Each structure stands twice: as structure tokens, then as C-alpha cells.
Amino acid sequence: MPRLFPEGFLWGTAISSFQAEMGRGESASASDWWTWVHDAVNISGGRVSGEFPEDGPGFWELYPGDLRLAKEELGNNAVRLSIDWARIFPASTEAVEVDVKNDGSGNISGIVVDEEAMRGLEDLADAAAVRRYREILSEARRLRLKVMLTLFHWPLPAWLHDAVACRDDVANAGRKGWLDEATLVEFAKYAAYAGRRFGDLVDLWATVNETRIASEYAYLRGEFPPGLRDFDLFMAAYRNLSAAHGFAYEQLKRWAPSPGGDGTKVGVVAVLQYYEPENPDDPKDVAAANFNEYLWNEWSLNAVTRGDYDMDLDGVAGPGERLPHLAKGCDFIGVNHYLRQRVRHDESRLGEQVKEGNCSDIGWEIHPRGLRYVLDWVWRRYRLPVYVTENGIADAQDSKRVRYLLGYLDELHRAISEDGVPVRGYFHWTLMDSYEWNKGFGTRFGLYSVDRVTKKRVPTRAVPVYREICSSNSLP
Ligand code: FCB
């Protein structure tokens, strides 16, 4: 008996602008990531791969063919894309006046973008970039692909973040990106503008992709711009990125028309991995696994949905940490899920990761049951509709992808049919091989692999399998 998914279930792939756009024609993006991956010190220090996004798959030019693959070869009815803030506003929007309210305790609590500010933003926006994004989104709609559009999938405009200066001397650097609350104001303007200019073409909006990775890899692991390792800075960025959702939510609700006429839908995308103690009988391993789940999976969603900012990480939002006026709303939660992480205690609160088992090319442990766990978890806790916004595997040999896909979709189906989780769609990461941030091109997540010279898309073994699932809306 084939196992059906609910009617109207969205099937798609996810790509992100910085990772997929470059490769043909126009390239440079005026973003911190662009500067970061070209920086000689980062390259010689091994912080980045030394490969460049301008050798990428070239979606900016080749999008008609890619969207056709999604529709016709994969049988998809949806696609998740992102737009590059720095392409739309290559120069500063700081001079555009908006009304910024403060809650009296030093937190920005409200941002009002009015018609006049909108005109100022229109003057500053890069008309050619806006036109191209409209063409891309229109093409997706013409093919009857529902569009989920992410505002912030990591690159910041360089005028907001001088990542190299921050790397070298953060205390004295001028433009500090998400460390600076003023970035929230610019983000709200960008959200308002994007809502106004693209709202008629967008079915679902995602504000921020993975508040956790965007702050952890930048400020704790030292891998993303600005390459620092400082817990306090990490918490500051985690806080601001979580608050950013609310301000963008408000603007999108105000400025984005809903093409379906059923209200603009705006959610956040969280990466929720599955944490298990290495030894379930050892209370210290259990405590470390629980703390991972709290810090990585729960903390930011509590902030987004309730305004709970547990800055001292004692597990409760105390009086000064409760900021319900920052929780502006959230219509759905996007779940990015990739792996199981087994945790063994050590002297740190987070413990260390156990690295063994059936892994992808980059050591991410395959454990499909974890997807059902996090879907149940997120629904029980937050009671919001859920989309799986990313799930996939780095598999250059193309030997594990089919099993990975079938295994995870089996658990997804169980979460819906047995546990009653309202999962509304699944977006596989990713359509075609793309630029994997500091790791470059060796990491191959694509359902299609890409020849870096000819840009030819070559289907992996998972393509016919995914097509069958998407077009029948069922699992074999
Ligand atoms: C996620 C990111 C995405 C890609 C995948 C592999 O954390 O959102 O851009 O890098 O991992």
C-alpha cells in the first residue's frame, strides 16, 4: 500500500542565493561573505577553502533551466529560494529615516517604516537586481511552483559588516553586523522593501535561516565571518538574530500582499538536530545532550515565539529576560534537519561530539529516526505548522543519497500519520551542487551534480526516486 501524504503537501528543493547564484555572467556580491572568502589571510590560514562562489552553478543566469528541472524532472510543486540583501541594497540604507521605538530597558521594541521611507528605499535599491529577482520568482510561479522566500540566508551587506576588521580587532571595528542592534533597523527596512516588491510572487516567507548556525559559526567556531571564538559575542548575535525575526515579521505583514489572498505567511527557519547521550545511563552524558538540545534547538525558538531571552542560560527566562513585546508572531516553523549528534560529557557544558557511525562525506551521522523526533518535539512545544525546509546529504559518490532520502521521508510520514504533526511540506537540500560556504565545492549535496566548467546538471540516482514520490504524493 503506498503511503499518501496530505493533499496539498509541498514538495520541493531549497537553494540559497550566495551558494547558487554566481557562476555565469555577473558575479560579485557586495556582501561580507564575498569579502570573507576572497580574503588572503583567511585563505592562507585555512579558514576558507580558497574556492570562489563565482565558479558556482550560475542560477542567476540559468534559473529557467533549473526551475524547469524542479518542475518537470522532479515533479515538484514548490521551491525554497533566498534573496541576497547586498544585491538589493549594495549601498547603505542607514540614511532612510524610520521611527525606532525603545522599550525603556535599552531594547529596540518597534520599527515603523512608512510610505516616505519606502520611497527612500526604492531610490536606493538596485533596480537590475530587483528586476532579476522578480523574473526568477515569476518564472517559478509560471511553472506553478509555490515559493518560499528566505530574507536572510547568511550574507550581510558589507556596509553593515566589515568582517575582516572585526576578525582583526572587534572592539575597535566600525561595522559589526549582528553584534550591533542597529542592524535590526536595517533588516526591518530590507524586509519591508522585499515585502512590497516581491510579496505578490511569494507564498511563504522565511525571515532568518538558522539563527543558531549564523551566530555559532561566526562567533564560537571561528569559521564564518568574522571568524571569532567568544561566547559573549555569540550570545549577543544569537539574541539579535532571534529578535530580527520579529521585526521582519511585522514589516512583511504590513507590506507584503498575499498572492493567494489568504494572509501573508511568515515563519522562521530553525536547524534542529537530534541529540543523544552517548551513554543514556550516565547522567553527565544525559545532561550534556540536554544542554545541546536546549541551547541549539530551543533557545532561539523560545525567543522568537514568546520573547524569552534566557541570556544567562539557566533554563528559565527571569524577569529581565522576558521580552514578550519582541515576540511579534510566527506563522510556521521551518525545520532544517540533517543529523544525529551523540554527546559525551567533558569539562564543558556542551560536552564533545562522538564521531562514528554511518556518516555522510562530512561526518554528519545519518539517523532518520531523528527527524521524527525533532518534528514531534517542535510541534509539542510550539504548536505551529511545520515545514521541513532543509534535509539532505553530502555524498560525492552518490552511494547513500537514495537510502537517506527514503529513510528520512519514511520518518516524516510517520510523524504526520502516526503522531499527528502538521508537516505541510518538504524541501530537499539541495537542487544542484553549490558553494558550501567555507568548505567550497567539495561538499556535494545536490540532487543534480554540476560540471563546474560546462555548468551541465547531471542527475544523481535520487532524481527518479524523488520524482516518483513528489508526483505521486506518496511513498512506495
Ligand atoms: C545548512 C544551511 C545550508 C547548507 C546546508 C548544508 O545549515 O542552511 O545553506 O549549508 O546546511
Side-chain angles (χ1 to χ4, degrees):
M1 267 281 279
R3 286 164 301 155
L4 278 173
F5 282 81
E7 212 185 303
F9 193 81
L10 298 187
W11 290 105
T13 59
I15 68 175
S16 90
S17 51
F18 188 77
Q19 294 177 270
E21 282 171 354
M22 290 172 255
R24 267 285 170 87
E26 185 193 347
S27 56
S29 111
S31 65
D32 59 347
W33 262 98
W34 169 269
T35 314
W36 189 250
V37 298
H38 290 89
D39 181 77
V41 174
N42 285 338
I43 295 171
S44 63
R47 237 190 226 105
V48 297
S49 62
E51 295 178 313
F52 299 132
E54 55 267 39
D55 293 320
F59 181 76
W60 193 246
E61 308 284 330
L62 302 176
Y63 70 90
D66 288 331
L67 293 173
R68 208 165 41 242
L69 286 182
K71 177 69 186 186
E72 288 167 12
E73 276 199 22
L74 289 173
N76 287 178
N77 58 8
V79 65
R80 176 176 174 231
L81 307 168
S82 75
I83 49 178
D84 184 346
W85 185 351
R87 269 195 203 281
I88 295 175
F89 291 116
S92 174
T93 52
E94 284 153 315
V96 173
E97 277 184 38
V98 295
D99 187 15
V100 179
K101 299 191 190 335
N102 208 284
D103 67 3
S105 312
N107 304 299
I108 292 176
S109 56
I111 300 165
V112 182
V113 180
D114 62 15
E115 288 286 351
E116 196 185 329
M118 189 56 78
R119 279 192 292 278
L121 292 168
E122 189 65 65
D123 289 344
L124 289 170
D126 183 304
V130 171
R131 200 176 320 115
R132 177 58 58 88
Y133 278 130
R134 284 197 61 83
E135 285 161 6
I136 294 171
L137 298 170
S138 302
E139 181 63 8
R141 292 188 75 77
R142 196 185 66 75
L143 291 166
R144 293 183 200 283
L145 296 167
K146 296 252 186 218
V147 175
M148 181 185 287
L149 191 68
T150 307
L151 287 179
F152 180 71
H153 201 127
W154 300 354
L156 274 173
W159 53 265
L160 270 172
H161 190 208
D162 187 343
V164 170
C166 288
R167 177 196 67 199
D168 295 341
D169 181 8
V170 68
N172 295 306
R175 290 168 273 137
K176 293 196 221 245
W178 290 112
L179 294 178
D180 192 344
E181 231 196 340
T183 295
L184 297 176
V185 177
E186 302 317 305
F187 189 57
K189 294 176 193 170
Y190 162 57
Y193 183 76
R196 168 82 160 242
R197 294 300 275 127
F198 305 126
D200 57 322
L201 304 173
V202 175
D203 299 280
L204 296 158
W205 289 91
T207 54
V208 177
N209 183 66
E210 302 183 349
T211 58
R212 173 238 167 135
I213 301 292
S215 42
E216 180 197 0
Y217 278 66
Y219 297 104
L220 266 190
R221 293 199 184 217
E223 292 182 27
F224 288 5
L228 298 175
R229 293 164 189 269
D230 181 309
F231 202 82
D232 293 339
L233 297 183
F234 156 71
M235 284 303 293
Y238 205 19
R239 179 222 180 266
N240 285 340
L241 276 154
S242 304
H245 162 81
F247 295 115
Y249 180 93
E250 234 172 22
Q251 299 306 328
L252 290 167
K253 288 288 188 179
R254 157 126 204 243
W255 291 103
S258 124
D262 52 350
T264 306
K265 301 275 184 300
V266 184
V268 72
V269 171
V271 57
L272 306 180
Q273 312 293 20
Y274 176 49
Y275 298 97
E276 271 195 331
E278 185 192 26
N279 175 0
D281 297 324
D282 180 342
K284 290 187 177 150
D285 284 7
V286 173
N290 288 344
F291 186 62
N292 274 271
E293 183 173 274
Y294 178 66
L295 181 61
W296 303 136
N297 290 3
E298 189 177 338
W299 193 94
S300 185
L301 286 176
N302 289 348
V304 163
T305 57
R306 296 201 293 265
D308 284 353
Y309 286 83
D310 174 21
M311 299 305 287
D312 61 8
L313 298 176
D314 65 354
V316 284
E321 298 171 330
R322 251 179 262 138
L323 307 170
H325 50 286
L326 295 193
K328 312 275 186 192
C330 188
D331 303 330
F332 65 87
I333 295 177
V335 173
N336 292 355
H337 175 79
Y338 288 92
L339 56 99
R340 166 165 78 169
Q341 188 167 313
R342 277 175 293 151
V343 182
R344 179 192 300 137
H345 83 89
D346 63 9
E347 68 291 345
S348 74
R349 236 178 136 186
L350 284 164
E352 63 168 323
Q353 192 180 343
V354 179
K355 288 200 172 155
E356 58 198 32
N358 182 17
C359 290
S360 77
D361 291 350
I362 49 174
W364 294 4
E365 192 192 341
I366 303 165
H367 185 75
R369 183 70 186 73
L371 178 58
R372 181 172 173 188
Y373 174 89
V374 297
L375 292 174
D376 289 356
W377 179 92
V378 80
W379 167 239
R380 253 195 345 266
R381 246 163 225 279
Y382 302 103
R383 298 285 161 184
L384 289 168
V386 178
Y387 292 84
V388 175
T389 35
E390 288 180 28
N391 169 248
I393 179 168
D395 178 24
Q397 297 305 316
D398 196 17
S399 60
K400 296 185 173 177
R401 189 171 284 102
V402 168
R403 280 191 74 180
Y404 182 99
L405 182 67
L406 290 172
Y408 279 81
L409 288 180
D410 178 61
E411 296 292 343
L412 168 56
H413 189 270
R414 286 173 198 279
I416 299 173
S417 61
E418 293 175 34
D419 310 334
V421 183
V423 187
R424 308 268 198 251
Y426 172 87
F427 295 85
H428 191 80
W429 184 269
T430 181
L431 180 55
M432 67 278 188
D433 288 339
S434 61
Y435 187 67
E436 191 50 38
W437 307 109
N438 57 319
K439 296 195 183 75
F441 290 109
T443 306
R444 293 181 170 254
F445 276 95
L447 287 174
Y448 291 85
S449 63
V450 178
D451 181 308
R452 292 249 296 282
V453 178
T454 64
K455 310 295 173 191
K456 195 169 164 349
R457 278 58 168 152
V458 182
T460 62
R461 294 192 179 98
V463 164
V465 177
Y466 195 41
R467 173 183 39 233
E468 186 52 39
I469 294 168
C470 299
S471 43
S472 65
N473 196 32
S474 70
L475 287 177

